[in-house]
Amino acid sequence: MPKKEKKIDLNNLTPQEKIKFEIAEELGLKDKVLSDGWKSLSARETGRIGGLMTKRKREAQKKENEKLGET
């Protein structure tokens, strides 16, 4: 018997999960994720989300480094 995936609580997300959901929503995948879970996404969709998450993390880190350098 497959493990039942826990229901996604949008009000109780980690910062990383929030970014993941924002990207999924931008790509038009949020409804699919909410109804069928993350496992319903194709490898291509999952890779796209992961790539965009990495890009955003790099941009945030770059901004933080620039901010620290200005002081």
Side-chain angles (χ1 to χ4, degrees):
M1 183 181 236
K3 217 189 321 182
K4 179 75 174 142
E5 201 170 311
K6 69 179 181 178
K7 193 75 177 151
I8 298 167
D9 180 6
L10 293 176
N11 298 320
N12 195 18
L13 297 174
T14 66
Q16 187 166 339
E17 288 172 325
K18 285 180 185 176
I19 293 170
K20 191 174 175 181
F21 264 104
E22 286 173 14
I23 293 170
E25 187 171 20
E26 289 168 16
L27 297 176
L29 301 171
K30 185 177 179 184
D31 291 338
K32 185 176 180 180
V33 171
L34 290 175
S35 65
D36 302 326
W38 291 107
K39 292 181 180 183
S40 67
L41 300 180
S42 70
R44 181 181 213 150
E45 293 166 335
T46 304
R48 185 81 178 120
I49 290 171
L52 290 170
M53 285 179 69
T54 301
K55 182 179 177 184
R56 288 199 186 168
K57 286 181 189 176
R58 278 196 202 122
E59 288 171 352
Q61 186 64 49
K62 184 178 177 184
K63 283 182 183 177
E64 186 65 29
N65 288 343
E66 288 173 357
K67 192 187 291 185
L68 293 174
E70 290 175 3
T71 51

